[in-house]
Amino acid sequence: MTDRISSVTRGGLVLDVYDEGPIDGDVVVLLHGFPERADCWRLVAPLLHEAGCRTLAMDQRGYSPRARPRRRRDYQMSELLGDARALAEAAGGRVHVVGHDWGAIPSWLLAIHHPELVASLTAVSVPHPQAFLASMVRSTQGLKSWYMLAFQVPFLPERLGRSRGGFLDRQLRAAGMTAEDVDRFRARIVDDGALTTALNWYRAMPFGDPRLSRGRVTVPTTMVWSDHDIALGRWGVEHTVRYVDAPYRFVELNGVSHWIPTQAPDALADAILDRVRSVGPGAA
């Protein structure tokens, strides 16, 4: 396709898309996590462009200003998958999908349920959904994920989040986020009115069909994880290979925190490009 994509509309919601790089390059879809927006890819995307790739970085539901429904159920996994599918279809399908943190979940689901749209998958930080669920009871992951339960409490996380230098800011710093990126979080999420709708990704977890997260991946896949990630442990990523029936690579980044796209952009870009090139030129 030769037209730039500035947004994707689905169910009355308008999701902003940042379409950059060579218009005729292999398409790489970039899906961000919590609590960031599409600009978390600002250091990775130019490296992909230099290699000839076109990137589509989307502000996902809850973050994009025209896509912030208030109900928790509007953020269940089927809706996240639907948004990712809509972007892949708008790009003509056979896209290379990259997702970090929460963005890895719709990426995994798209590869599981719509492999015809996915040329390759690079999951960053978050393992296959089934491996993650297993890790909650077979490792220390349940303890690492304490915040998921805390975020279910109404109003309190928002109150803590609105306090500059308060609890949420300190937790983000403890997780390895730089002071500059905490300031970006405050401007792009808190001050822009997206904190509650971003938290709704967690609050929607009790809704929806858990069977959606089951299934095997049949597209070439790379799992990227960093050993200083305090939110995601080793067990889930090491067992992800059990759920992939395709060429698979595990990339471990040493000395890097959870925020891989901004703290190890060169290594992440290399992993993405290795996976894209493994599929062959023009696959997207």
Side-chain angles (χ1 to χ4, degrees):
M1 60 181 299
T2 57
D3 295 330
R4 292 291 185 183
I5 301 172
S6 61
S7 64
V8 171
T9 300
R10 178 174 173 270
L13 304 180
V14 181
L15 302 154
D16 293 325
V17 178
Y18 301 89
D19 183 346
E20 300 174 306
I23 192 70
D24 59 347
D26 282 352
V27 178
V28 180
V29 167
L30 302 171
L31 300 179
H32 66 84
F34 175 89
E36 299 180 296
R37 287 169 66 170
D39 58 358
C40 77
W41 302 106
R42 63 191 178 277
L43 303 179
V44 175
L47 301 175
L48 302 182
H49 303 156
E50 290 174 8
C53 293
R54 174 185 177 186
T55 61
L56 301 178
M58 181 168 71
D59 272 345
Q60 300 199 77
R61 67 170 54 213
Y63 297 85
S64 203
R66 295 174 290 175
R68 296 177 182 173
R70 305 302 296 182
R71 300 186 309 171
R72 291 183 296 162
R73 67 180 64 251
D74 289 325
Y75 295 85
Q76 59 187 294
M77 287 192 295
S78 60
E79 297 295 345
L80 310 182
L81 169 59
D83 294 344
R85 179 182 179 181
L87 178 55
E89 290 177 338
R94 296 294 292 162
V95 298
H96 300 276
V97 183
V98 182
H100 174 243
D101 188 78
W102 257 113
I105 297 300
S107 301
W108 281 114
L109 297 178
L110 189 66
I112 292 169
H113 296 284
H114 299 287
E116 74 281 0
L117 297 176
V118 180
S120 76
L121 167 65
T122 301
V124 188
S125 301
V126 176
H128 185 286
Q130 283 183 267
F132 178 75
L133 289 173
S135 74
M136 295 288 279
V137 296
R138 302 189 65 179
S139 72
T140 60
Q141 185 60 56
L143 296 175
K144 292 178 180 291
S145 298
W146 62 269
Y147 59 91
M148 293 185 178
L149 182 61
F151 286 165
Q152 304 300 317
V153 179
F155 309 118
L156 182 60
E158 286 90 332
R159 182 175 180 181
L160 296 174
R162 293 188 183 105
S163 175
R164 182 175 294 276
F167 177 79
L168 189 51
D169 285 14
R170 292 196 299 270
Q171 291 301 309
L172 293 174
R173 290 301 306 274
M177 187 175 278
T178 66
E180 178 185 356
D181 282 335
V182 170
D183 288 342
R184 185 181 293 271
F185 153 72
R186 302 214 63 82
R188 300 280 283 155
I189 305 299
V190 180
D191 296 344
D192 198 52
L195 183 56
T196 294
T197 49
L199 288 167
N200 278 348
W201 284 56
Y202 293 95
R203 291 168 175 167
M205 292 174 69
F207 297 94
D209 187 350
R211 293 174 297 181
L212 192 65
S213 65
R214 301 172 192 164
R216 307 191 66 80
V217 175
T218 57
V219 303
T221 298
T222 295
M223 175 77 242
V224 181
W225 177 77
S226 46
D227 65 352
H228 283 196
D229 192 325
I230 69 170
L232 282 306
R234 183 182 295 275
W235 196 97
V237 295
E238 286 190 338
H239 287 78
T240 285
V241 64
R242 297 183 178 184
Y243 304 96
V244 180
D245 297 327
Y248 178 81
R249 182 187 178 202
F250 173 48
V251 176
E252 180 175 341
L253 304 180
N254 297 316
V256 179
S257 79
H258 176 73
W259 314 102
I260 294 174
T262 52
Q263 295 186 4
D266 294 273
L268 178 54
D270 286 345
I272 295 168
L273 290 170
D274 282 349
R275 178 50 66 203
V276 170
R277 289 164 179 159
S278 75
V279 177

